[in-house]
Structures are given as structure tokens and as C-alpha cells.
């Protein structure tokens, strides 16, 4: 049997963190000794180590949801969920790489000379990007593309900045990015005034995904220990 402090030392957590994990259901409830102190066994140590490894790969919030389900459900379901975690990382990595390829083209075009007087209409830009004019209007409403309006007709026009923003947005949308994520990236680009920032942000994201993939591989051992140490009757099998 182990005390709370001993479990914390074995897993690299503080006493309070171990108590919090038990309260959140990540660890099964620990029986109390006659003096009221918690008494943990080897399964608790295995569970907290598995949580720590999984949290490094998918984040602590997601790990708090996933780990109890892995331990409680049938082994087939647990194996499928672990496969899905790998697949989710692979899908996001593919989207980032697709967005980066699109941005390579965008940045090459941005490097070309562009006279601010050579503005584009919404129809011209939509055709150039291969998107609907309604998509450009939606991007404008969402604050992704900043256009100007003519004093007379109020028609939209797209200058160099708006064209760059539209191209970055189109590249990121093609890479599977949602509006909130694109807005965040564009805010970074606007803050620094360099469209190449979007490329660097995505490269950093790709590096983070690689780190998480490696962490998920490292979690395989602790997760295996968790799955094989959980009695079948606890899983409902």
C-alpha cells in the first residue's frame, strides 16, 4: 500500500495533484486507513503514471476524460480509442502540411510587386482564388479579410492587404482550419505585419504535433500497464 505522498513521488506529482486526480475520477477511489489517510495500491500508481504520459500527448483536460473511459470500458473499445488518438494527430498534421503548401504559393505571389491602385473586385478575387464570392463576403463578416468600399456604389474592393489576407485564409481553409483558428493566425500576422508569420505559426504547430505524436508513443507502455492491470469485471466484460 502507498500513501498519497508516495504515489506523488512515484508519478512525479504533488500530494494535492494526486488528490485532485482522485476527485476528478482519473484515479479510482482510495480506501481509507483507520486513521483516515488514503491508502493506494499498485493500480493507482499505474493509473497516475498512465495519466501523466497521456496528458503529455493530448493535454490534461482531454486526458482526464479519455483515461477513465480507457480503464472502464471493454478492451476493444480502449484499443479503438487509442487508434483514434493517433489518427487525430495524423489528420491534423496532414491539414497543417496542406496549409503550408498553400501558403508557399501565397507568399511567392505576395513577393511580387503589387500596386495598391490595382485593386480587385470581389468577382475577380473569387475567380483568382477558386472560391465563391459568398465565401469572401463571409470571411469579411468574420473579420478575416478587411476590404474597402467605394464612396459612390459601396462596392467592395480588395487592395494588396486584403488580397493577402484572402489568400492566407483560402490556404488555411483548404488545409482544414476553422474560422476561429484562422482568425487567431491572422491576428498574429497583423500584429507583426509579416504574412510570413502565418507560415512560421504553422511550422511551430507542425513541430508541436510531432512532439505530441512522440509523447503518445511514449505513453504506450503506461497505457498498456493500465489496460492489463484492470480486472475484466471492472470493465464490464
Amino acid at each position: 500500500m502507498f500513501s498519497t505522498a508516495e504515489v506523488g513521488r512515484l508519478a512525479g506529482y504533488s500530494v494535492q495533484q494526486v488528490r485532485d486526480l482522485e476527485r476528478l475520477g482519473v484515479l479510482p477511489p482510495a480506501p481509507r486507513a483507520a486513521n483516515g489517510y488514503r491508502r493506494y495500491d499498485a493500480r493507482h500508481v499505474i493509473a497516475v503514471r498512465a495519466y501523466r504520459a497521456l496528458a503529455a500527448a493530448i493535454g490534461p483536460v482531454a486526458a482526464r476524460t479519455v483515461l477513465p473511459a480507457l480503464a472502464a470500458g471493454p478492451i476493444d473499445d480502449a484499443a479503438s480509442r487509442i487508434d483514434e488518438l493517433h489518427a487525430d494527430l495524423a489528420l491534423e498534421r496532414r491539414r497543417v502540411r496542406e496549409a503550408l503548401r498553400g501558403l508557399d504559393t501565397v507568399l511567392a505571389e505576395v513577393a511580387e510587386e503589387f500596386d495598391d491602385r490595382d485593386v480587385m473586385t470581389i468577382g475577380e478575387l473569387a475567380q483568382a482564388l477558386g472560391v465563391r464570392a459568398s465565401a469572401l463576403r463571409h470571411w469579411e463578416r468574420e473579420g478575416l479579410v478587411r476590404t474597402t468600399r467605394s464612396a459612390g456604389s459601396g462596392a467592395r474592393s480588395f487592395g494588396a492587404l486584403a488580397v493577402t489576407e484572402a489568400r492566407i485564409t483560402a490556404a488555411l481553409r483548404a488545409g482544414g482550419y476553422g474560422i476561429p483558428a484562422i482568425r487567431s493566425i491572422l491576428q498574429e500576422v497583423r500584429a507583426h505585419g509579416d504574412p510570413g508569420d502565418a507560415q512560421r505559426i504553422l511550422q511551430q504547430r507542425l513541430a508541436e504535433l510531432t512532439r505530441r505524436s512522440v509523447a503518445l508513443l511514449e505513453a504506450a507502455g503506461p497505457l498498456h500497464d493500465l489496460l492489463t492491470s484492470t480486472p475484466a469485471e471492472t470493465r464490464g466484460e
Side-chain angles (χ1 to χ4, degrees):
M1 301 296 286
F2 303 95
S3 67
T4 308
E6 289 170 336
V7 172
R9 282 197 300 272
L10 290 170
Y13 279 143
S14 68
V15 167
Q16 188 58 53
Q17 285 174 313
V18 174
R19 290 173 179 163
D20 287 343
L21 290 176
E22 182 184 353
R23 176 178 56 82
L24 292 168
V26 175
L27 303 182
R32 302 286 184 125
N35 57 10
Y37 289 118
R38 294 173 176 85
R39 302 302 296 167
Y40 298 94
D41 59 27
R43 290 177 304 145
H44 293 95
V45 175
I46 290 171
V48 74
R49 283 175 169 168
Y51 167 78
R52 185 180 179 90
L54 188 61
I58 66 174
V61 175
R64 288 198 292 268
T65 300
V66 171
L67 194 74
L70 292 179
I75 193 72
D76 286 348
D77 290 351
S80 294
R81 186 68 186 96
I82 292 170
D83 288 344
E84 289 169 1
L85 294 175
H86 285 285
D88 290 345
L89 288 172
L91 176 60
E92 188 168 358
R93 183 180 292 103
R94 183 163 62 251
R95 286 176 172 173
V96 173
R97 285 175 173 163
E98 289 170 354
L100 279 169
R101 283 194 292 269
L103 281 173
D104 286 341
T105 301
V106 170
L107 295 177
E109 293 173 350
V110 168
E112 298 175 358
E113 186 174 349
F114 191 104
D115 192 328
D116 276 331
R117 294 171 296 179
D118 298 331
V119 298
M120 302 179 73
T121 67
I122 189 169
E124 290 169 340
L125 184 55
Q127 183 177 12
L129 295 178
V131 301
R132 295 179 181 273
S134 59
L136 289 172
R137 295 189 190 97
H138 178 60
W139 297 348
E140 181 187 11
R141 287 193 300 270
E142 293 290 341
L144 306 180
V145 179
R146 295 170 294 179
T147 63
T148 57
R149 303 282 186 135
S150 65
S153 65
R156 294 174 178 82
S157 60
F158 297 79
L161 178 60
V163 169
T164 298
E165 291 175 342
R167 285 172 171 167
I168 290 174
T169 299
L172 294 173
R173 289 295 288 158
Y177 279 73
I179 296 298
I182 296 172
R183 185 184 295 112
S184 177
I185 291 172
L186 283 171
Q187 286 172 348
E188 291 288 334
V189 172
R190 290 164 183 166
H192 297 89
D194 181 2
D197 282 345
Q199 191 177 47
R200 286 188 284 275
I201 290 167
L202 289 177
Q203 288 169 339
Q204 291 169 359
R205 181 59 179 161
L206 190 61
E208 171 62 12
L209 288 170
T210 297
R211 184 202 66 76
R212 289 176 57 191
S213 292
V214 172
L216 191 54
L217 289 175
E218 292 175 347
L223 288 173
H224 176 267
D225 292 342
L226 175 71
L227 297 180
T228 56
S229 68
T230 305
E233 57 271 18
T234 302
R235 296 180 171 278
E237 296 179 331

